[in-house]
Amino acid sequence: MDLGAFSVSLAVKDINVSKAFYEKLGFESIGGDCGQGRTILKNGDHIIGLFQGMFDKNILTFNPGWDQSAQNLENFTDVRNIRDELTKRGINIKSESVDGNDGPGSITIEDPDGNPILIDQHR
């Protein structure tokens, strides 16, 4: 089961201050809009999403269908198949937003310590 590209989504207090900090570490903006409370930064294969006012906890994020450069993959495991496999393995799906047989969708699970894991398919 391939979960796709990996990133850490950080809940930040001040997106501009956080963005400036990570830029000092060598991260560069690859998307998002600080004015809308979200930006995506990259350093090599490492991706960090900064989100102000959108959620309470940091989230581990996987994007089926994307590589680490947010480029579409020809073959990937659909979020619906991931959901079904996780359910078979006894993992509780905390929330889901999945319609139809293909296309965008997302599910959220938690690890044993309550850390949220988002599997978010954009296509």
Side-chain angles (χ1 to χ4, degrees):
M1 175 174 41
D2 184 0
L3 299 176
F6 175 74
S7 63
V8 177
S9 299
L10 300 176
V12 300
K13 295 176 185 174
D14 184 320
I15 196 163
N16 294 307
V17 170
S18 294
K19 182 177 184 258
F21 173 81
Y22 284 102
E23 287 174 338
K24 289 177 184 175
L25 293 178
F27 283 84
E28 296 178 1
S29 180
I30 62 167
D33 181 347
C34 288
Q36 294 180 356
R38 58 185 173 80
T39 190
I40 308 300
L41 304 171
K42 185 172 182 181
N43 180 327
D45 287 337
H46 310 293
I47 300 172
I48 298 173
L50 305 178
F51 298 89
Q52 182 177 333
M54 294 188 175
F55 44 82
D56 297 328
K57 289 183 167 184
N58 298 331
I59 301 172
L60 302 176
T61 304
F62 295 92
N63 299 109
W66 278 1
D67 66 15
Q68 283 302 111
S69 296
Q71 299 299 306
N72 290 340
L73 295 171
E74 184 175 328
N75 297 306
F76 64 96
T77 306
D78 188 89
V79 68
R80 291 150 193 84
N81 299 99
I82 294 170
R83 175 198 59 202
D84 295 346
E85 184 61 31
L86 293 175
T87 301
K88 285 181 193 173
R89 294 180 184 189
I91 296 175
N92 183 42
I93 307 299
K94 290 294 197 178
S95 67
E96 68 177 89
S97 175
V98 180
D99 294 320
N101 295 322
D102 60 6
S106 65
I107 61 173
T108 303
I109 61 176
E110 287 183 351
D111 75 8
D113 296 301
N115 297 304
I117 301 170
L118 172 65
I119 302 171
D120 191 18
Q121 180 174 307
H122 294 277
R123 62 183 192 101

